[in-house]
Structure formats: C-alpha cells, structure tokens
Amino acid sequence: MFHSSAMVNSHRKPMFNIHRGFYCLTAILPQICICSQFSVPSSYHFTEDPGAFPVATNGERFPWQELRLPSVVIPLHYDLFVHPNLTSLDFVASEKIEVLVSNATQFIILHSKDLEITNATLQSEEDSRYMKPGKELKVLSYPAHEQIALLVPEKLTPHLKYYVAMDFQAKLGDGFEGFYKSTYRTLGGETRILAVTDFEPTQARMAFPCFDEPLFKANFSIKIRRESRHIALSNMPKVKTIELEGGLLEDHFETTVKMSTYLVAYIVCDFHSLSGFTSSGVKVSIYASPDKRNQTHYALQASLKLLDFYEKYFDIYYPLSKLDLIAIPDFAPGAMENWGLITYRETSLLFDPKTSSASDKLWVTRVIAHELAHQWFGNLVTMERWNDIWLKEGFAKYMELIAVNATYPELQFDDYFLNVCFEVITKDSLNSSRPISKPAETPTQIQEMFDEVSYNKGACILNMLKDFLGEEKFQKGIIQYLKKFSYRNAKNDDLWSSLSNSCLESDFTSGGVCHSDPKMTSNMLAFLGENAEVKEMMTTWTLQKGIPLLVVKQDGCSLRLQQERFLQGVFQEDPEWRALQERYLWHIPLTYSTSSSNVIHRHILKSKTDTLDLPEKTSWVKFNVDSNGYYIVHYEGHGWDQLITQLNQNHTLLRPKDRVGLIHDVFQLVGAGRLTLDKALDMTYYLQHETSSPALLEGLSYLESFYHMMDRRNISDISENLKRYLLQYFKPVIDRQSWSDKGSVWDRMLRSALLKLACDLNHAPCIQKAAELFSQWMESSGKLNIPTDVLKIVYSVGAQTTAGWNYLLEQYELSMSSAEQNKILYALSTSKHQEKLLKLIELGMEGKVIKTQNLAALLHAIARRPKGQQLAWDFVRENWTHLLKKFDLGSYDIRMIISGTTAHFSSKDKLQEVKLFFESLEAQGSHLDIFQTVLETITKNIKWLEKNLPTLRTWLMVNT
C-alpha cells in the first residue's frame, strides 16, 4: 500500500510533507503445510468454563476468545460470487470455501463484519462428490472481534476436506473500506457510480466471510454479475461472460494464484483503458474514467518499463498474464497492490502534461514502482503477521529507489531518497516512536502500523544494509529470499538468513569457503564470518526503537567514538535523559572520509565506545558517507568548525549528499540541545555558493520552517527579520528562476520551491508576475497553459482576491485533472478569510465538490497558516464524532487529521488544550499512539523556542 497526502506530492510522508514449489505440497501432503506454518493446539471444543468465553449477539456463548483465528481449519480455495446493484447501492453474494481440518473441532471461526449471512451449510468432501445437500450450520456472531462461529452438528474429522457455503448481503460502503461505492463527474456534469474494493489490512471481512489474516493463503475463483453498461475487473483475466435473463451479464475470472485475502480485488465500473505488453508478454492496462483516459499514457509507459525491470532484477517472472492499474475517484491510500488489479488515487496514477509538474511526475513514477514491487514483496512472499509489515512496505519503499534509478535516471530520485530517511527521523527521535517490528493485534493497532517507521525507516535500514553488504550480494540475497518463500509467508529471520547466505558463486574458494569483497576491512570479514551476525546486527535496528547518535572526537590521528540514543526535545541536562538512554545499543556500519583522501573507510561500531586510528593527519573527518547510514553524527571539539570552514572555502571537496547530510544533522542537533542555533545558522552562509539543488533546498527548508513558526506565533520582529534575511540572502538564486518548465527535475523542483517561498514572503516581483499570469489565465477562461511548475504559485497569489478565490473554486469543480485540482485546493486554503476556509472544510465534509478523501490534507494546509490554525483545530474538536463516521479510528486519515492540526503548536496553552482533548477521547475508549507523538512534538517545539529564540533574534539582528 502507498499512502498519500492529497495536496502534498513531494513525498509519501505520513506527517504530510507530503503506499501490499509449495503449491504441490498443499495438495499432496496437506499435513506438512499446516505443521510448518501453523501451530495447532491439541483440540478445539467448548470449554467447561462458560466464563472464559465472550457472548455472541444472540446471548449464547461464543466459542472463541482470541483476536487471531484458530489454525485448526485452513482455507484452501474460495468460490466467490458477487452481484452489486449500483442503483440500490447494495450487493448480494455467495461463497463456497474448501477447507482442510487439522484437528477435531465443533466449530469454524471466520472473520465477518457488517454482513448479513442468510444461509450457511457444510458438506464433507464425500457429500460433495455424491451431490448430497449440505448440513445447515448455526451462525453465531461476535462483532467486537469481527468474528463469526459456524457450529457444526458433528465434530469435523482431522485431515479431511470440507466445503463451507454461505449466502450473504450488505450495503455498499459509504467510506473507503471493504466493498464500497465511489462516484465521479463526467465532462457533461453527470454523476456516475462504481463499486470498488479496498481490503488492506483487515477489510476483506466486510465484503465476504473469510479467514482474514495474511497467513491463511488460498486460491480464489471469482464471478461478478453486472449490467451491460458496466465492465467487471478482478485479480485475474476474465475466462468467459454468460448472458442472463433481464440483460444481466456474469463474468467468470480465472482462479487466482495462492494469496492472502487482503489482496483480493474486484470492481464494477464503466471505465476505459489503454493497454500494452511487456517484453515477457504480460498485458498491462491502465483504467480511468472515460474523460481521463488521455491521462493514462505516462502510467502505461512507466508500468511496462518497471515490470520489465523487476522481472530481470528479481530473476522471477511476474506470475499472472495481466496486470491492471486503475485510477479510483474515491480512494483513501495512495495506492493498493492487489495482485493483478492495482488500485490508485487519481493523483498517484494519472499524468496530465498541461497541469502535472515535475514533482507530480516523480510522484506517479514512485507510486507505480512501489506497487509493482509489492507484486513480489507482499504478494508473492507475504509477512506472517501484520507486526512485520515493514517486510513488504519497507522493501517496496526501498525498491522505488532501485527501480526508478534504473528506469528513469533523469528523475534523479537517488538524491531525493535522503528525504525518505530524514522524514522518519523526525518521529524516530521522539521517545514515543516504536520498533519497526511490533506486536499488533486489533484492527486499529494493525492500521497504525502503516506509518513512516514501517515504510521509511524500513527502506532506510535496507539501503544501509545494501551499502554494507554491497549491491550484488544484497540483490542475490533478496532473490534467494523471494524464491525460497514464493507463495508462502516469511518473518524477519527468514530475510536475515537469506541475506547472510547470499554468497555468489565467484565468492567460493576451492575449499568451499565464502569470502567477502577483498576491499572490505578485516572487521567486516570477521563480522560476516557467521550467518547469525547479519541477524545480530539487523535486530538492533528492527527490535528497538529510535535512532543512534554517533559522537566523534578527533584528537590528532585518533578518533574517539561513542554511541547514544538520539532524542529530540529531551536534553542531556534533563533528569529523564539518562533513563531514556539505558539498554540502547546498535551495531552501526560506519563509513567515513577525510580531508586527506577520497577513500571511504568502514568500521562496525558494536559497543558504546571505540577508538579508531587515522593513517595520517587530517583537517576534518566526515562520517556517514552519502548519508547511507541511519544515524546522526555530532562532531565534538572543533569538528563542526572545521567542516564549516571547509564548506566556506571550497564546499565541492565534500560530496553533494554529504553536504545535505551535514545541513540536516546540524539542525537536528540544535533540536536535541547538542549545538547552539547560531552554529547551525553559520553553516548556511556557504549556501550562496551552493550549486546542488538538494543541499540548497535542505538549508532553505529549515530557515523557512523557522519563519512559519514565528509567523504562526506572531513573533513579528523575528519573522520580519527572517523574511528580510531570506529575500536578501537568496535574492541572486531567486532572481535567476524563470517562470517556465525548463531544466532538469531538480532545476524544476528548486524553481517551484524558491518562487513559492518568494511569493509567500510577499516578494514584490514574484507577486507581480504571478498576479499577471493569473489575470491572463482568468481572461482566457482557464484555457491559457501556465507552466506546470509555477501553477500552484500562480493560483495561490490569485486566490488572495475574492474574485480570484471564487473563480478558482468554480474551476476546481470543472477540472478533469486531479493534479490541477490539488494545486487549486492548496491555493484556496491559503486565503486569509476565515469564512472562505470554513466553506472549504464544509465542502470537504459534504464530499461532493471536494472529495472527503482530500479532507485530511485540506485541514493540514489550513492549520499551517496563521489565519487557519485555530479554525482547523476548533473544527476537529467540535466535529470529532462526525469525522469518525467518515474514517476509521486507526485510519491514516484520522491520524493525519490529528497531527496535521496540532503538531505545529508551540505554546504551553495549546499543549494543555491538546492534552485535555486526547484525555477526553481516551475516556471514551479511543486510544491512538499518535496522541503521545503529538504531545511530545508540541513539547519539543516549546523547548526549542525557549532555548533558541534569543539566539535567533540576536543572530538575525547581526546578519540583516
């Protein structure tokens, strides 16, 4: 799955800076499969203690008390028939599940949520063979666990197969989960309806009763009934269509490969498609609503390229004969990797050359790369439990880097990947962070696992491991992992074993011993001597939360190293700091370079302290080469001064990514109380000579964030001086920007960022040019093509007048480009008039003009502005129950609404307000981990201001 912020395409950052041989054994030796993958208790029957079990809805005892299903009954195959009615907005369905029983039992437990089961029967394999009718089953329901129990008249016999048949019906969902309705508006203004599924993580149970856990893999044969004006799509190609009475049609699809329930998908719609074939013959089709088919060309080109790349990289063919990618008008995540039928938000798949910017193109390419990677990581090999979703999400996020670099090098994503790691460090440096691998049992807990720790940190530690092992060995290891666990489930240790054993044929000596790269240090050779040691190293990154801080002290030719836990908002002098450091130790694969040579040195730090000897005297040392490691570096003594001097004298002696890393780390260390703010600000002096866009943007982002913090708090003397400093200091680079779409991707992203900053700061030439373009656009009735990279800026300046704002809202409703709608919605949110902002929020709640899927991003955008911050916060508090009717408690949207409207606060009054609100929610039984994250973030902001405000004020007075 790929999450997205509707209006922030810069990166899937869950905090708005802003994606899911064994075969034969199953049939021949089912017992082997069960024993190897499922732990089976000795018996399953009613306990004598009635108090040990919950009570079903009919008042009877429910025979199972665990959240996870028993493993005594294993599904092998589902025959599923579904008939949605897009007029009455409901569906009728039936299924026949072939199950294998491993132990005698009197009941079968499945998942089911909000389904009305009208009939349930059981046949033995023998009954089925002789066409005997099934025996009626009693159905008990326990909604608290989203489970049903089918009570069987006689105990089921071990090692036999049975067939469970059920008829059921339900309304099509109003939200974004299970089997739900979506709507779109045609160019002619007609509203049309489609029915679509989204099952990850635990919503397949809302569409059909099933064993809704990743471990219960099965095959699915699906039939969909529809009207002739619609088409039906599912995971597999269509085998045939049967004509029925009354003009209805029934599509039959091929049986799926063995897969988990969360990957099942089916859609009934009237969409059009564009198709092509990969070099291995897979038919790839991009589906969109009829008026948007012309925006599918880029997605098709990218999908064909990326699928070809993955087949070669993984050395495993994509196992299906077709792959559909479809743009859904109402969709909560950025995309979902259903096997063979990948669903996307329109902004994540469609590309309109007239309104999609350079960053939009990078976004679409990344999301396609992410979801296609899931066809192997997640679909072919699935995590055993949701506590290890990083095994698919971290890998898919990491594979974006590998795949986009290989297929679209001109997008220069390699430089962008640093942001993936920097973004999660914001969360991981708080005490409320969590380990990558963490138990998750309830649906809400499972949903909360879909966060930047699973995605971004997962990707970053994989990138660090790749850098440590070497690209070839790493690739060999993941190929081994995928081949070994195809159509099965895996856990962390399975991955570490494959990566430990990833010796290449060329690595073996005549004695049959695998040796590492001769360029590796003796430390690394010793480290990799035992298979267990990759696991030993990587568990320090997956089983403990947080990020290490490497403290470096240079003394002549000697380097003293120390590792600590890096914490933001808790300072060394704070009484709680020492306790928060206890029992934290990482095995850190260090890299460093020095002023005296370009050689990359390597060392593994496995203890709290260590000493390194340098071969020669050097004026500076820089750790974490190219920022490939997941750690922050602090240089004690004169370390930072020497690096700042080097940046001012000749910054090009440091690698471009190292310059980005230094800017990042120096400001992070200010937040941790390890450096004074003036030291970090002094480093930004050199940026006037910087030619690397990523480094320029990194420095600017911190300065800009300080300006917005001061502006929101109305600390006007500092905000005015900061504005003056930014416009004075960056004037040459701002003035060099053209209002065009020319240049490389980074040239274009720098242009967008700089001109947006200039106009935000009311820079007269910027405002004048944007206003002029907006007037021309309005006079042309929206026909004028404005360069896409400045479109958002032009709209934002235009939105400051009432006439402009009203015209933009009209155009928003008429636009057929979701990329353009994103830019318009952002512009509308910059209004300084509260009644206009309130109107936007009301339209987002209503969901017609502004789709509800965009509400979280809209609230975030409004809350980040001085005129909107109180409005958005009040709205969330006053409308909490209404919001919970639209989104699940643990959903990405709810978490983003909470953090998006509160995490920027920086006063004690606001901290108290937020705390009281969270306490009231917890008193009602609503608990989310994000509550603690937000409280710690606000506390961090307060402490940052207390510590750094006087310094910032003084520094600006001297420098402006």
Side-chain angles (χ1 to χ4, degrees):
M1 189 190 285
F2 204 110
H3 285 290
S4 95
S5 159
M7 286 149 57
V8 188
N9 285 5
S10 62
H11 179 68
R12 147 61 187 135
K13 178 191 176 188
M15 293 295 284
F16 274 98
N17 216 1
I18 347 229
H19 257 99
R20 281 178 198 232
F22 195 65
Y23 241 129
C24 321
L25 283 177
T26 310
I28 304 163
L29 295 169
Q31 305 92 305
I32 292 174
C33 303
I34 291 166
C35 298
S36 65
Q37 293 217 20
F38 297 93
S39 57
V40 183
S42 55
S43 65
Y44 274 87
H45 49 77
F46 284 104
T47 176
E48 294 305 308
D49 175 14
F53 287 97
V55 178
T57 49
N58 67 351
E60 294 184 28
R61 272 186 303 158
F62 191 80
W64 185 248
Q65 70 270 53
E66 306 292 329
L67 270 163
R68 296 191 69 217
L69 298 180
S71 49
V72 70
V73 177
I74 310 298
L76 303 176
H77 180 266
Y78 292 76
D79 258 313
L80 179 61
F81 161 81
V82 185
H83 180 195
N85 186 324
L86 300 193
T87 307
S88 57
L89 302 179
D90 52 20
F91 66 93
V92 292
S94 62
E95 68 181 344
K96 189 177 190 178
I97 313 174
E98 179 186 356
V99 299
L100 180 69
V101 174
S102 61
N103 278 58
T105 181
Q106 288 181 288
F107 53 83
I108 299 170
I109 308 292
L110 299 92
H111 287 111
S112 178
K113 183 182 179 186
D114 299 334
L115 298 172
E116 184 192 341
I117 297 165
T118 53
N119 189 41
T121 61
L122 180 79
Q123 280 181 312
S124 65
E125 198 169 13
E126 192 180 357
D127 289 344
S128 177
R129 199 177 300 125
Y130 294 110
M131 310 289 284
K132 288 184 183 174
K135 297 184 179 75
E136 290 264 339
L137 295 175
K138 184 170 187 176
V139 182
L140 297 180
S141 177
Y142 186 53
H145 286 181
E146 300 175 357
Q147 291 171 356
I148 55 168
L150 306 178
L151 307 185
V152 299
E154 297 164 15
K155 269 191 186 176
L156 302 182
T157 310
H159 312 310
L160 290 189
K161 289 180 186 173
Y162 291 85
Y163 296 91
V164 177
M166 278 179 274
D167 299 325
F168 52 96
Q169 58 192 34
K171 284 290 221 187
L172 287 172
D174 280 328
F176 305 95
E177 301 166 323
F179 194 24
Y180 70 93
K181 74 173 171 75
S182 173
T183 62
Y184 73 93
R185 193 184 54 79
T186 66
L187 210 46
E190 179 194 349
T191 298
R192 292 186 185 171
I193 296 172
L194 56 147
V196 60
T197 59
D198 189 42
F199 292 162
E200 188 179 37
T202 59
Q203 281 90 42
R205 64 193 68 172
M206 297 173 74
F208 58 99
C210 56
F211 298 80
D212 201 10
E213 290 171 14
L215 199 55
F216 291 105
K217 289 193 170 188
N219 306 96
F220 297 81
S221 300
I222 294 172
K223 302 180 182 75
I224 309 280
R225 199 169 286 180
R226 61 179 171 88
E227 294 178 53
S228 57
R229 64 195 169 107
H230 293 130
I231 58 167
L233 300 170
S234 189
N235 304 84
M236 302 299 286
K238 191 166 66 174
V239 181
K240 62 179 177 183
T241 299
I242 297 169
E243 290 193 25
L244 305 168
E245 285 179 18
L248 288 176
L249 301 173
E250 188 174 287
D251 294 329
H252 294 209
F253 297 89
E254 274 179 31
T255 300
T256 69
V257 292
K258 194 176 178 191
M259 65 187 200
S260 304
T261 47
Y262 77 89
L263 294 168
V264 174
Y266 39 88
I267 295 167
V268 174
C269 63
D270 65 345
F271 283 10
H272 293 182
S273 66
L274 191 68
S275 301
F277 288 86
T278 65
S279 54
S280 62
V282 178
K283 184 183 182 182
V284 177
S285 304
I286 315 294
Y287 284 85
S289 58
D291 296 319
K292 296 182 181 179
R293 182 179 177 273
N294 63 341
Q295 297 174 42
T296 60
H297 294 272
Y298 178 69
L300 179 61
Q301 175 207 95
S303 303
L304 291 169
K305 243 180 166 178
L306 286 159
L307 201 60
D308 274 339
F309 167 77
Y310 282 135
E311 288 192 328
K312 292 185 184 78
Y313 186 89
F314 295 136
D315 193 32
I316 299 170
Y317 283 117
Y318 172 75
L320 314 184
S321 60
K322 69 93 175 172
L323 175 61
D324 299 332
L325 295 81
I326 181 167
I328 304 297
D330 300 274
F331 202 66
M336 176 57 211
E337 68 265 19
N338 318 298
W339 216 340
L341 177 56
I342 307 177
T343 42
Y344 291 79
R345 265 194 189 211
E346 290 183 336
T347 43
S348 301
L349 187 66
L350 303 181
F351 183 82
D352 174 23
K354 289 180 179 176
T355 58
S356 297
S357 64
S359 54
D360 291 334
K361 188 173 213 171
L362 177 59
W363 174 258
V364 167
T365 315
R366 288 178 55 202
V367 183
I368 294 172
H370 185 103
E371 302 310 323
L372 263 56
H374 273 315
Q375 307 303 296
W376 286 266
F377 282 102
N379 299 11
L380 186 66
V381 179
T382 313
M383 65 278 142
E384 277 191 7
R385 294 189 184 188
W386 291 113
N387 54 311
D388 278 333
I389 66 154
W390 86 274
L391 282 176
K392 72 182 188 76
E393 295 302 349
F395 254 112
K397 178 68 73 179
Y398 168 74
M399 288 310 300
E400 291 173 34
L401 170 67
I402 303 302
V404 176
N405 274 353
T407 53
Y408 288 94
E410 69 275 16
L411 291 178
Q412 298 171 275
F413 182 49
D414 191 46
D415 291 321
Y416 199 87
F417 188 76
L418 297 185
N419 292 335
V420 171
C421 306
F422 294 168
E423 283 160 357
V424 67
I425 288 169
T426 307
K427 172 174 174 141
D428 212 21
S429 57
L430 296 174
N431 189 43
S432 56
S433 187
R434 65 167 181 85
I436 287 179
S437 223
K438 174 196 168 191
E441 298 293 335
T442 69
T444 297
Q445 288 168 350
I446 291 167
Q447 281 183 316
E448 285 191 280
M449 293 294 285
F450 289 82
D451 68 355
E452 59 269 65
V453 173
S454 292
Y455 285 73
N456 299 36
K457 186 176 179 179
C460 296
I461 66 164
L462 288 170
N463 186 53
M464 178 171 67
L465 183 59
K466 182 263 301 184
D467 182 62
F468 169 71
L469 291 174
E471 198 146 343
E472 200 180 357
K473 280 190 173 59
F474 184 82
Q475 183 182 353
K476 196 87 173 174
I478 62 175
I479 289 171
Q480 190 181 102
Y481 168 77
L482 288 170
K483 287 184 174 178
K484 183 174 181 180
F485 294 98
S486 287
Y487 303 104
R488 294 168 61 192
N489 298 77
K491 49 189 183 296
N492 281 343
D493 287 357
D494 299 323
L495 175 64
W496 307 143
S497 297
S498 296
L499 287 166
S500 302
N501 294 319
S502 60
C503 282
L504 308 168
E505 285 173 35
S506 58
D507 292 329
F508 285 93
T509 61
S510 55
V513 180
C514 168
H515 282 286
S516 257
D517 184 337
K519 293 192 283 289
M520 285 184 173
T521 63
S522 57
N523 281 59
M524 290 179 70
L525 282 169
F527 187 80
L528 286 174
E530 296 291 331
N531 289 346
E533 301 238 0
V534 166
K535 175 186 170 183
E536 187 189 348
M537 170 176 151
M538 293 313 293
T539 51
T540 70
W541 297 94
T542 57
L543 299 185
Q544 63 183 348
K545 65 183 177 181
I547 177 170
L549 170 67
L550 175 71
V551 181
V552 181
K553 180 76 183 286
Q554 187 177 351
D555 189 3
C557 287
S558 179
L559 292 175
R560 289 209 307 275
L561 308 179
Q562 181 178 324
Q563 64 162 294
E564 300 171 5
R565 179 183 174 196
F566 179 69
L567 286 165
Q568 287 264 25
V570 182
F571 303 148
Q572 265 183 311
E573 59 268 26
D574 293 342
E576 66 267 35
W577 187 84
R578 191 163 297 284
L580 294 173
Q581 292 291 331
E582 281 176 15
R583 296 189 303 280
Y584 281 87
L585 182 72
W586 287 267
H587 290 189
I588 313 174
L590 301 176
T591 54
Y592 61 98
S593 60
T594 68
S595 60
S596 45
S597 88
N598 278 328
V599 176
I600 299 174
H601 303 274
R602 295 179 181 271
H603 176 75
I604 294 160
L605 182 63
K606 297 165 74 172
S607 53
K608 279 280 188 188
T609 58
D610 207 345
T611 306
L612 292 180
D613 293 321
L614 295 169
E616 55 198 317
K617 267 209 155 187
T618 179
S619 58
W620 53 261
V621 61
K622 162 70 177 67
F623 274 82
N624 198 2
V625 176
D626 282 337
S627 296
N628 279 320
Y630 187 73
Y631 55 96
I632 304 279
V633 187
H634 177 40
Y635 304 93
E636 284 196 332
H638 298 294
W640 278 109
D641 293 332
Q642 287 159 342
L643 286 162
I644 291 169
T645 301
Q646 181 62 69
L647 286 170
N648 285 317
Q649 285 174 357
N650 180 5
H651 65 275
T652 61
L653 284 187
L654 286 150
R655 292 171 169 81
K657 283 188 192 172
D658 281 344
R659 305 198 296 268
V660 179
L662 285 170
I663 295 166
H664 171 264
D665 283 7
V666 80
F667 281 106
Q668 290 295 312
L669 287 161
V670 171
R674 299 303 280 264
L675 276 180
T676 56
L677 180 60
D678 53 348
K679 182 82 74 183
L681 291 168
D682 287 348
M683 182 183 275
T684 65
Y685 278 142
Y686 100 91
L687 286 173
Q688 60 195 311
H689 308 296
E690 181 60 86
T691 51
S692 162
S693 295
L696 247 176
L697 286 169
E698 184 67 16
L700 263 174
S701 69
Y702 281 103
L703 295 170
E704 197 178 347
S705 71
F706 300 156
Y707 168 75
H708 288 303
M709 184 189 264
M710 301 304 138
D711 194 29
R712 277 194 299 267
R713 286 294 306 276
N714 198 25
I715 306 172
S716 54
D717 64 316
I718 297 185
S719 62
E720 284 305 310
N721 278 341
L722 249 174
K723 183 193 291 191
R724 194 176 303 120
Y725 175 76
L726 283 162
L727 290 174
Q728 173 189 318
Y729 193 69
F730 291 98
K731 187 177 187 299
V733 69
I734 289 170
D735 289 348
R736 282 200 301 273
Q737 303 308 312
S738 64
W739 292 68
S740 70
D741 285 341
K742 294 188 181 117
S744 71
V745 164
W746 277 102
D747 291 339
R748 295 176 64 183
M749 291 201 289
L750 181 67
R751 174 185 302 128
S752 295
L754 283 170
L755 293 177
K756 179 182 178 296
L757 173 65
C759 279
D760 276 353
L761 298 176
N762 281 318
H763 184 45
C766 185
I767 298 286
Q768 194 179 330
K769 179 66 176 176
E772 187 185 308
L773 283 169
F774 187 78
S775 294
Q776 291 168 9
W777 179 71
M778 264 182 81
E779 282 160 21
S780 74
S781 301
K783 303 281 189 296
L784 176 75
N785 286 340
I786 297 169
T788 60
D789 296 333
V790 298
L791 203 50
K792 186 195 275 191
I793 301 155
V794 171
Y795 289 163
S796 297
V797 170
Q800 301 316 306
T801 68
T802 299
W805 196 90
N806 290 335
Y807 185 70
L808 279 165
L809 187 56
E810 285 169 27
Q811 290 301 116
Y812 181 86
E813 199 168 353
L814 296 171
S815 176
M816 279 292 138
S817 161
S818 50
E820 181 181 40
Q821 285 185 314
N822 251 359
K823 296 171 181 66
I824 294 175
L825 192 54
Y826 174 82
L828 292 168
S829 77
T830 65
S831 171
K832 294 178 177 65
H833 297 284
Q834 294 213 339
E835 69 279 5
K836 288 185 170 66
L837 299 177
L838 202 54
K839 182 176 182 179
L840 289 180
I841 296 172
E842 285 165 359
L843 289 172
M845 285 293 279
E846 186 188 43
K848 287 176 185 166
V849 175
I850 298 172
K851 286 190 169 288
T852 304
Q853 66 180 7
N854 297 326
L855 184 63
L858 175 63
L859 284 166
H860 173 270
I862 290 171
R864 284 299 187 267
R865 301 239 155 210
K867 297 290 183 189
Q869 54 181 346
Q870 191 62 40
L871 180 81
W873 169 226
D874 288 344
F875 176 82
V876 169
R877 285 186 293 176
E878 289 160 18
N879 293 274
W880 181 253
T881 50
H882 298 297
L883 288 167
L884 280 188
K885 286 174 188 165
K886 295 187 178 295
F887 308 106
D888 258 15
L889 176 66
S891 68
Y892 173 77
D893 293 87
I894 283 291
R895 285 179 281 140
M896 293 312 101
I897 286 168
I898 290 168
S899 64
T901 55
T902 58
H904 58 283
F905 287 146
S906 56
S907 72
K908 288 179 178 173
D909 288 349
K910 282 284 174 275
L911 175 64
Q912 191 57 24
E913 276 182 26
V914 175
K915 201 172 180 181
L916 288 171
F917 177 59
F918 289 168
E919 283 170 2
S920 73
L921 297 185
E922 292 191 322
Q924 298 161 33
S926 298
H927 172 77
L928 291 173
D929 291 344
I930 193 94
F931 293 169
Q932 188 57 31
T933 304
V934 165
L935 294 174
E936 284 186 28
T937 303
I938 300 172
T939 304
K940 177 187 80 172
N941 296 341
I942 293 166
K943 292 180 84 166
W944 191 96
L945 278 174
E946 285 172 353
K947 200 172 185 78
N948 298 301
L949 204 57
T951 310
L952 181 57
R953 184 174 271 123
T954 306
W955 190 89
L956 284 167
M957 286 165 72
V958 171
N959 288 281
T960 50

